[in-house]
Amino acid sequence: MKQREGSALTGLNVVFHKELQDFTGSVRMVVLTILILLTAGASMYVAAQTLRSITGEDTFMLLGLFTISKDPIPSFLSFMSFLVPLTGIALGFDTINGEFQNRTLGRILSQPIYRDVLMFGKALGALVAMAIVLLALWLLVIGSAMLFLGVPPSGEQIARALVFYVITLLYGVQWFVIAMLCSIIFRQSATSALVAIAIWLFSMIFWPMISQLISIGIGGDGSFLAAKLNVVLSRISPYTLYSESSIAILNPSTRSLGVVLFSQIQGAMLGSPLPFGQSLLLIWPQMTSFFASILLFFTGGYVLFQRREIRM
């Protein structure tokens, strides 16, 4: 087997800048960005108006902009849990099969660029593109807090908001990697998009119902075993992991994300906020699951792409 010549990362910078330009300048990204800004702006305005009527003694007023909702407008967190996966899927469903359909993959790989460098460059470009959009949203929330509330955020609030930003970015990258894997498996872009959207809808809507039925069937209705099993099974869904970790970091009074026994809360000061470090420990399993799933799906796509025949 012929060994590689030169650096294994030759051409990564070129691929990254080309993909970043394509992602940020594409019509789909512009439309999604406008949609996210409009919906997020509406939810933050409603949350800010609600917080104005609350006494200013709350030391975590900034975090309320992410979680407070008022009918008929959901919270900022609810919008993100719905729109971020769509953004990841929109960026990733044609990353590889689009090159096949345009007959450009052979031309790209005829240059001194390896296959894995092409994948790394595309993934890195999508990561930076989503990071820029989400950073703009994060700064919008911070600015809205100072504008509408007239209260500067504390250091802990900024730290918690930054962690929420990282969680949301990982959530979007996970769905991008899933969509990229679909673009490697299926030749047609429409097919990969439909499969990725089907996986998203299944994990968000149907899997919670299925996991509950499985838990009741195994542990019995209303039993502690069924409740515990339901928590474990529901965490297979990325939506559950994102919701749990976001609520735990944005609501400092959250002390547990699973089934809690009465003996476990004896002596606890209910309603008192957890320290920032304890909240990080609380969401560490969810964060680890995000990293593990991203590596798993990306590795699966990497192996399949390396074995793919590219001759037209």
Side-chain angles (χ1 to χ4, degrees):
M1 183 177 180
K2 184 179 179 180
Q3 294 183 349
R4 295 187 178 192
E5 298 179 358
S7 173
L9 299 179
T10 300
L12 178 61
N13 187 51
V14 176
V15 175
F16 163 69
H17 284 93
K18 176 63 169 61
E19 293 300 322
L20 180 60
Q21 182 180 4
D22 291 342
F23 286 141
T24 54
S26 63
V27 175
R28 73 183 78 165
M29 191 64 175
V30 173
V31 172
L32 285 170
T33 302
I34 294 175
L35 181 61
I36 291 174
L37 289 174
L38 290 176
T39 53
S43 64
M44 284 186 295
Y45 177 78
V46 170
Q49 294 298 321
T50 304
L51 287 173
R52 277 183 172 181
S53 61
I54 302 175
T55 57
E57 297 178 358
D58 188 1
T59 57
F60 296 99
M61 290 185 66
L62 166 65
L63 302 180
L65 290 177
F66 295 101
T67 57
I68 291 179
S69 62
K70 185 178 181 180
D71 291 336
I73 300 179
S75 65
F76 180 87
L77 177 59
S78 299
F79 277 125
M80 289 298 98
S81 64
F82 181 82
L83 294 175
V84 169
L86 284 181
T87 304
I89 292 173
L91 294 180
F93 76 92
D94 62 345
T95 50
I96 302 300
N97 52 24
E99 302 288 353
F100 277 104
Q101 293 177 2
N102 295 330
R103 299 183 180 276
T104 56
L105 187 60
R107 299 176 184 176
I108 294 174
L109 297 182
S110 65
Q111 306 299 318
I113 297 176
Y114 296 108
R115 295 191 188 193
D116 45 5
V117 171
L118 181 63
M119 276 195 67
F120 293 150
K122 287 179 175 291
L124 189 59
L127 171 64
V128 174
M130 284 189 287
I132 293 173
V133 174
L134 294 176
L135 180 60
L137 281 175
W138 185 84
L139 293 174
L140 178 62
V141 174
I142 302 298
S144 299
M146 301 180 68
L147 177 63
F148 291 109
L149 303 179
V151 179
S154 63
E156 183 173 349
Q157 289 185 92
I158 294 294
R160 289 180 178 271
L162 274 173
V163 174
F164 172 67
Y165 165 77
V166 174
I167 293 171
T168 306
L169 181 59
L170 290 176
Y171 186 48
V173 170
Q174 182 181 29
W175 283 108
F176 169 80
V177 174
I178 292 174
M180 176 184 275
L181 176 61
C182 293
S183 74
I184 295 173
I185 296 176
F186 303 101
R187 287 276 186 172
Q188 299 297 322
S189 298
T191 304
S192 62
L194 288 174
V195 172
I197 293 175
I199 295 173
W200 167 56
L201 292 176
F202 177 80
S203 65
M204 185 175 181
I205 300 175
F206 298 105
W207 179 247
M209 296 184 290
I210 295 175
S211 63
Q212 186 175 6
L213 292 175
I214 294 175
S215 303
I216 294 175
I218 295 177
D221 191 10
S223 66
F224 174 74
L225 176 61
K228 190 174 182 180
L229 184 60
N230 184 35
V231 171
V232 174
L233 292 177
S234 63
R235 287 176 177 169
I236 296 176
S237 169
Y239 172 74
T240 302
L241 294 176
Y242 177 69
S243 300
E244 287 185 346
S245 55
S246 298
I247 291 174
I249 202 66
L250 294 176
N251 186 7
S253 60
T254 302
R255 310 185 73 88
S256 177
L257 295 175
V259 181
V260 181
L261 297 175
F262 180 75
S263 59
Q264 294 176 301
I265 61 175
Q266 285 183 339
M269 297 178 63
L270 300 181
S272 60
L274 280 180
F276 176 63
Q278 294 297 318
S279 295
L280 284 180
L281 290 177
L282 189 62
I283 66 171
W284 185 248
Q286 283 77 8
M287 298 286 286
T288 305
S289 298
F290 274 127
F291 281 112
S293 59
I294 290 173
L295 290 176
L296 177 64
F297 288 120
F298 187 82
T299 302
Y302 175 85
V303 172
L304 292 176
F305 186 52
Q306 290 293 91
R307 299 181 177 181
R308 194 70 175 269
E309 177 61 52
I310 64 170
R311 288 181 298 179
M312 302 297 179

